Amino acid sequence: MRTQVVIVGAGPAGLLLSHLLGLEGIDSVLLERQTAEYVQARIRAGILEAGTVELLRQTGLGERLDVEGMEHRGIYLQWPGNRHHIDFTGLIGRSVTVYGQTEVTKDLMAAREKAGRPAYYSAADVTLHDVAGKPYVTFVDSDGAARRIDADVVVGCDGFHGPSRSSIPSPQVWERTYPFAWLGVLADVAPSTDELIYAWHPDGFAMHSMRSPRVSRFYLQVAPDEDIAQWSDDRIWTALATRLGVDGWTLQTGTITEKSVLPMRSFVSTPMRHGNLYLAGDAAHIVPPTGAKGLNLAVADVSLLAAALTASLRGNGELADAYSETALRRVWRCTHFSWWMTSMLHRHGDDFDAQLQLSQLRRTVSSLPAMTELADNYAGLPL
């Protein structure tokens, strides 16, 4: 088989890249080691930046988003006895939208099927060859047959553990592992807040998010090696009520349907291009989820890369040559913002560190420039 672009990884980044290329008449084939059902069911990020929302709308993917997405004008920052609203729309004229990654994936899969773009799920032994010259990819399909696809370009959207990143020789890597994790909880209960709550507390960070008008998402700061079996439903609700509590506000409880421990780290690998191999999303960078940047950063990579590849395959390689450097400028800005939010809100260090965090929180909610800086980064830089 031959195609113009082989995309390794059929999560949101790979699916969106295939969709954007298809709109420009560029052929692509998707390879994914998991089943389609597994990919569609993965629960990940749920906050879409303004630019992400606009891109999905402009490319025909906004129908369900406009009906089911929950627009949010800002967030609450909180510490004991204090809860303050940061009004993104009032400060910068942009908002964010709560719309789960599972829903984005469903929309992208439906668009792929409608367009008839080929994809191989349950692909095993995916191996990249001659990426610096005339690239091709070999794999074993779901029926056990060995296959080969020749292409002009290979794009790795296959995450940290996929084969694409390891195909770039001698990468430079930066990494920060944080001394805490999140206990993530999904519950069948209507949100107890109109906007997301980010709460600093002496017992550890807590967050109240949501997935729909009927489903809420919560996070609690825990140790990286936390035993999830020690967290009963009652213990979770008690901890959330304590860390999120303020006078005159009540946390509504319900049936907990999912619990998981999420590690916290920052990771950047450069370059994001080697020959005819390009990386996008988690294959090149990972951010802690505090700043809601993971999915949005992957979308920014793919938006940039789709334009670059379209121009390159038509004879103009200028954007493709600049892809890695251009993408990394945004990657490092988002990495810094995610580090800043994480460092400010998570209890770590000693009491001296705690006072520094509280000082930063007071400054952030009382200074117009500080609030504007938070809003501008959280709602998203222009694509």
Side-chain angles (χ1 to χ4, degrees), residues 7 34 39 64 105 115 119 129 154 193 198 211 226 233 248 272 286 306 331 348 373 380:
I7 302 170
Q34 302 288 359
V39 172
R64 281 204 318 129
T105 302
H129 305 268
V154 177
T193 178
Y198 287 77
R211 285 294 177 268
E226 196 75 26
D233 290 6
M272 291 174 63
I286 295 170
V331 167
H348 63 277
E373 178 72 4

Side-chain angles (χ1 to χ4, degrees), residues 7 11-22 30 52 55-56 59 61 104 108 298-300 302-303 306:
I7 302 170
L15 286 164
L16 179 58
L17 178 59
S18 178
H19 179 74
L20 296 177
L21 291 173
L30 281 161
T52 298
L55 176 66
L56 294 175
T59 56
L61 298 167
V104 175
L108 287 164
V299 169
V302 165
S303 175

Side-chain angles (χ1 to χ4, degrees), residues 193-204:
T193 178
D194 59 334
E195 308 272 35
L196 279 69
I197 303 171
Y198 287 77
W200 182 98
H201 192 273
D203 293 346

Side-chain angles (χ1 to χ4, degrees), residues 16-144:
L16 179 58
L17 178 59
S18 178
H19 179 74
L20 296 177
L21 291 173
L23 293 178
E24 295 293 337
I26 305 297
D27 294 330
S28 64
V29 175
L30 281 161
L31 301 180
E32 170 60 49
R33 67 184 181 90
Q34 302 288 359
T35 66
E37 293 75 19
Y38 179 91
V39 172
Q40 186 168 294
R42 278 188 298 212
I43 297 176
R44 292 289 190 273
I47 308 296
L48 304 184
E49 295 175 355
T52 298
V53 171
E54 187 59 28
L55 176 66
L56 294 175
R57 287 172 174 160
Q58 289 176 352
T59 56
L61 298 167
E63 184 176 352
R64 281 204 318 129
L65 168 63
D66 286 336
V67 174
E68 300 181 20
M70 302 166 65
E71 184 182 12
H72 284 251
R73 294 176 59 92
I75 61 171
Y76 292 104
L77 287 183
Q78 177 179 314
W79 62 96
N82 295 268
R83 180 180 291 173
H84 298 269
H85 187 243
I86 309 296
D87 183 358
F88 296 169
T89 306
L91 289 164
I92 60 170
R94 302 197 305 280
S95 61
V96 297
T97 300
V98 174
Y99 191 67
Q101 178 173 313
T102 51
E103 304 310 313
V104 175
T105 302
K106 289 176 186 176
D107 295 340
L108 287 164
M109 282 184 162
R112 180 192 62 79
E113 292 171 6
K114 183 178 180 180
R117 300 187 185 100
Y120 290 89
Y121 289 90
S122 300
D125 299 327
V126 176
T127 306
L128 283 59
H129 305 268
D130 195 18
V131 294
K134 296 181 179 180
Y136 65 96
V137 179
T138 58
F139 66 101
V140 177
D141 68 20
S142 58
D143 295 324

